[in-house]
Amino acid sequence: MFRFPSVLLSRRLHRRELSSSTTSHPPSLPLSHPIYLIWGSNTGVGKTLVSAGIAAAFLLSSPTPSQFHYLKPLQTGFPSDSDSRFVFNKLRQLSLIRNPHIPLSASHRVINLSPAVTASNPLAGEEGVGPPPELLCKTLYAWEEAVSPHLAAEREGLVVKDSVVLETLGECLEDVAECGAGKERSEVLCVVETAGGVASPGPSGSLQCDLYRPFRIPAVLVGDGRLGGISGTISAYESLKLRGYDVVAVVFEDHGLLNEGPLMSYMRNKVPVLVLPPIPKDPLNDLMEWFESSHYIFSNLKEIMLSAYFERIKKLHDMPREARDIIWWPFTQHKLVPDGGVTVIDSRCGENFSIFKVQKTEVIAPQFDACASWWTQGPDAIMQTELAREMGYAAARFGHVMFPENVHEPALNCAELLLQGVGKGWASRTYFSDNGSTAIEIALKMAFRKFSVDHGLIVHCHEDTTNERSTELMVLALQRSYHGDTLGAMEAQAPSSYTGFLQQPWYTGRGLFLDPPSVFMHNSTWNVSIPEGYHLESLKGKSITFASPDEIFHKGRDKSELATVYSSYISKVLSGFRGSNNVGALIMEPVIQGAGGMHMVDPLFQRVLVNECRSRKIPVIFDEVFTGFWRLGVETAVELIHCVPDIACFGKLLTGGIIPLAVTLATNAVFDSFIGDSKVF
């Protein structure tokens, strides 16, 4: 099938700059070293303690020089509360206990402060001994009030767009890659600690699980060992999974309630669940003994994180070769796929794929999905999550339901919305199927039955006479048409590269294929191009041009000389066709022929063609699998060509491409042609 080719801030910024900044492309995620997001099932569950514990296990037990990066994108309650300073201080304390003669080199920086923060400016940082630092702690944005970031940002005048937060974080992650240049993969580790819980808002009000989604950084979830913690931890886990995050481990503090049992049962051993010893409640306790007693757990967690990272890198590198060995891609000549020509898609977010690239180093980079303009472009990143949530709900509620003689709420709601939307004013029945080609096959069967009933080709009976074929029905269609790749759908389209012997040896082209006039724009003028064969004596010498597309689509053109020319041409071709009495359906793509080369057909011609078929009782099928659901700027092409079909097919954007689904809409008259006293009929 025809497809389109696929086509940081390290300074203090004022509120105006932050709120107006945008990024045209989401930043890339470097994969040179492991990077993890630290999430909490709620606020106050010990995320920063876990971050510090991972840092200690990584830096203070390694036989080789290592480097640990701690990033805190959003910090409220600053400066009295600073998670990056906590990690900075605790690691230096632990370092002195474990290696008193070899001090830990460390640095601490806060990049962007709200105007409400006092004049004691820590931007210069707190530097440790000996470059390059082994521990690098950074806070990206800090607010004074100890409230949710969205509220602090509003009250203190440091309003930051999601795109700017991502850009700043992306710059810091690039710094991680640069600082680790020349080191082994396992010698550098970065954790990015979120604020509050999984669904806590960021400074713009977006949920953090949505805010950081473009990076899709693997996650460690800090669960809750308290009463009610099982529910909160599972809810947080499901929120992350629903958005496509990979959770490599769940870790939480032991409160003596044995929360790990139900959690491990729920995880089905797919995700390790680690339990930390109880944290001392005495505020004067420096936690050094707790960190020492937790060392084994954190070492285990560190190994889980490193192992998951290396497994991911190996999989990303191996996938192209493995795919070439076992996958048969559609619309592809495999011999022409070069080495390195297989794109590894890690995920999708909104209009961008996240693809694996090997440049100077490996990265997960955004790539705009230009093909989606052909297929499913419509959902943005937020709607993608909403669709996943709704589909997850439907799947959990129903699983699979055999549809004949059954009904369930999602199907009924969808059918009602379709009839009130794209089928409004003409359709009364919805027939669900799984893809556009199948929807076309169904439409053809509907149309042929309606034609056969209207023209007396079917005698109502209870006998199965399906083997008796007295009439060979044909379709009326357009040159350059495309209606799908199943055998019946291909028979209903004109000869093309899709229907040649090498592609479809059974193809005969069971139809009469008209060459339609097309519309194009040249030098800001809209023109109608008329193929040979049309009698244009009355229009000879006249230029058929229009000042705007509104004029082209105006229904007033029905009274023009060109409408008479079209009508005469269609009538003459139909009358001269040997099998004209057997033309059982008109099928066409309204307005735009997609796979045929993005040709815009003159809407007047299509309207006249529909009217000619109406006069001959030939059912009309609109193939809107490509054009439907606002693709042409209107909900359905019916609004542009000012006539309705008997049957119409929709797909692609029906589910935003998340699952296959198509629908064939029909009038009551088409439906009634199938009503009888036997299933045979």
Side-chain angles (χ1 to χ4, degrees), residues 435-516:
N435 61 74
S437 294
T438 306
I440 293 295
E441 301 267 358
I442 292 163
L444 291 170
K445 291 167 72 174
M446 290 178 176
F448 291 152
R449 171 60 66 87
K450 180 68 165 67
F451 179 85
S452 299
V453 169
D454 287 348
H455 292 264
L457 301 181
I458 288 183
V459 178
H460 290 252
C461 63
H462 298 288
E463 299 289 331
D464 185 354
T465 59
T466 53
N467 291 325
E468 299 179 12
R469 179 175 297 174
S470 58
T471 303
E472 185 79 20
L473 295 182
M474 312 288 281
V475 299
L476 179 61
L478 305 181
Q479 295 287 347
R480 300 184 299 272
S481 58
Y482 177 86
H483 301 294
D485 283 309
T486 51
L487 297 182
M490 294 178 86
E491 287 295 302
Q493 58 200 48
S496 68
S497 57
Y498 308 116
T499 60
F501 180 82
L502 291 176
Q503 296 292 330
Q504 215 291 61
W506 281 4
Y507 176 78
T508 59
R510 303 179 192 224
L512 171 60
F513 304 106
L514 306 179
D515 194 4

Side-chain angles (χ1 to χ4, degrees), residues 14-15 24 56 77 81 100 119 140 208 212 256 285 295 341 360 365 384 393 395 463 521 539 557 575 603 645 681:
H14 296 296
R15 174 176 181 170
S24 56
D81 188 8
L140 277 56
Q208 287 182 81
Y212 299 119
N285 191 304
H295 177 68
K360 292 181 181 179
Q384 181 178 333
Y393 166 74
E463 299 289 331
M521 188 173 68
L539 294 172
R557 293 182 64 203
S575 299
F681 190 75

Side-chain angles (χ1 to χ4, degrees), residues 355-427:
I355 64 171
F356 175 59
K357 286 186 176 181
V358 180
Q359 300 167 333
K360 292 181 181 179
T361 182
E362 300 104 325
V363 297
I364 298 292
Q367 179 170 296
F368 177 71
D369 180 12
C371 287
S373 62
W374 174 266
W375 294 101
T376 57
Q377 194 169 54
D380 58 14
I382 299 301
M383 187 180 289
Q384 181 178 333
T385 300
E386 291 178 2
L387 284 170
R389 185 164 57 243
E390 291 299 320
M391 290 179 182
Y393 166 74
R397 180 177 173 186
F398 295 103
H400 177 260
V401 177
M402 285 292 288
F403 207 45
E405 301 176 43
N406 293 318
V407 66
H408 51 70
E409 190 177 1
L412 187 60
N413 288 345
C414 184
E416 289 172 343
L417 288 170
L418 288 165
L419 295 178
Q420 294 163 10
V422 291
K424 187 175 182 179
W426 68 270

Side-chain angles (χ1 to χ4, degrees), residues 51-191:
S51 297
I54 296 170
F58 186 75
L59 288 176
L60 306 182
S61 302
S62 176
T64 58
S66 300
Q67 196 174 79
F68 188 89
H69 294 254
Y70 172 86
L71 302 178
K72 182 74 174 184
L74 310 173
Q75 177 72 65
T76 59
F78 186 87
S80 59
D81 188 8
S82 172
D83 293 335
S84 59
R85 186 181 293 115
F86 178 90
V87 173
F88 175 81
N89 289 334
K90 291 303 174 189
L91 261 293
R92 290 199 298 180
Q93 285 181 267
L94 284 167
S95 172
L96 291 174
I97 293 172
R98 295 188 186 178
N99 302 299
H101 303 296
I102 308 176
L104 178 74
S105 59
S107 68
H108 175 241
R109 289 189 59 210
V110 181
I111 300 176
N112 297 292
L113 294 168
S114 82
V117 176
T118 57
S120 57
N121 186 344
L123 283 177
E126 302 169 20
E127 299 296 336
V129 180
E134 297 166 85
L135 173 66
L136 298 94
C137 299
K138 291 181 184 177
T139 296
L140 277 56
Y141 294 94
W143 295 267
E144 183 178 42
E145 193 172 1
V147 293
S148 175
H150 78 288
L151 189 57
E154 181 181 338
R155 290 178 176 178
E156 298 180 25
L158 183 66
V159 177
V160 193
K161 284 188 173 182
D162 292 352
S163 59
V164 178
V165 174
L166 289 178
E167 190 178 5
T168 307
L169 178 57
E171 248 195 12
C172 291
L173 295 178
E174 287 177 6
D175 290 343
V176 172
E178 290 175 9
C179 289
K183 290 184 175 292
E184 296 293 328
R185 292 182 187 272
S186 58
E187 293 177 352
V188 178
L189 178 61
C190 173
V191 299

